[in-house]
């Protein structure tokens, strides 16, 4: 009986594999990583919608449904048009092409004095006087 490879050998090494990996440039590895992440994001969106590859192919009017399988393999070099179509159909963001750089958030502390409108005039005056004496409010009471 054949054993599960992952369970029996977690530290597998191979001169052939190591040799092949040594010939991959950092730029090529970065491209491969991004293709795999893109495929994983598309797969997750399909799963979230309860769709199969054929559903996506049908929605995109593809002549060859096997193309979706190629996309999900993580080796496909997508065109911009394809990525835009996929994100539109799946309702996800695959591209971040916005040119605007978001400015850092502006943090401003503003204190606005508010007199509850549910209080009667007889209570508003004395409360406002106490608040203004403590430096919390200035001006005159607001009548609701």
């Amino acid at each position: 009986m054949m054993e599960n490879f992952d369970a029996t050998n977690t530290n597998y090494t191979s001169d052939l594999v190591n040799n092949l990996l040594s010939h991959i440039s950092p730029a090529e590895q970065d491209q491969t990583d991004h293709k795999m992440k893109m495929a994983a994001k598309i797969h997750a969106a399909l799963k979230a919608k309860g769709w199969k590859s054929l559903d996506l192919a049908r929605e995109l009017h593809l002549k060859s449904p096997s193309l979706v399988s190629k996309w999900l393999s993580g080796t496909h070099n997508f065109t911009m048009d394809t990525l835009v179509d996929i994100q539109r159909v799946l309702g996800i963001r695959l591209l971040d092409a916005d040119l605007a750089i978001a400015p850092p958030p502006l943090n401003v502390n503003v204190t606005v004095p508010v007199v509850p409108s549910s209080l009667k005039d007889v209570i508003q005056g004395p409360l406002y006087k106490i608040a203004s004496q403590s430096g919390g409010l200035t001006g005159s009471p607001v009548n609701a």
Side-chain angles (χ1 to χ4, degrees):
M1 172 169 52
M2 183 176 224
E3 293 183 38
N4 182 338
F5 180 79
D6 293 329
T8 59
N9 193 349
T10 57
N11 295 317
Y12 177 78
T13 59
S14 162
D15 291 338
L16 175 61
V17 171
N18 290 336
N19 186 30
L20 291 172
L21 290 174
S22 71
H23 288 85
I24 297 174
S25 72
E28 290 171 321
Q29 184 62 53
D30 190 44
Q31 290 174 347
T32 300
D33 291 347
H34 278 81
K35 289 176 188 178
M36 296 297 274
K37 289 175 186 175
M38 191 72 64
K41 194 167 185 179
I42 293 167
H43 182 265
L46 285 173
K47 190 173 181 178
K49 287 181 84 75
W51 283 11
K52 305 273 186 214
S53 299
L54 289 174
D55 297 314
L56 181 58
R58 183 181 57 250
E59 287 295 316
L60 292 172
H61 309 290
L62 298 178
K63 292 179 183 175
S64 174
S66 64
L67 184 56
V68 176
S69 296
K70 185 176 179 183
W71 296 343
L72 296 176
S73 72
T75 60
H76 186 72
N77 193 14
F78 292 96
T79 66
M80 187 67 67
D81 291 344
T82 300
L83 290 173
V84 170
D85 288 343
I86 293 169
Q87 71 178 12
R88 176 182 43 78
V89 168
L90 292 177
I92 59 173
R93 293 288 296 165
L94 295 171
L95 303 169
D96 187 9
D98 295 330
L99 296 177
I101 298 172
L106 179 62
N107 295 320
V108 178
N109 293 324
V110 178
T111 303
V112 179
V114 177
V115 177
S117 61
S118 63
L119 296 176
K120 296 187 180 201
D121 290 339
V122 254
I123 298 175
Q124 283 181 344
L127 285 177
Y128 195 84
K129 184 177 180 183
I130 293 168
S132 63
Q133 287 173 351
S134 67
L137 295 175
T138 57
S140 60
V142 176
N143 292 325

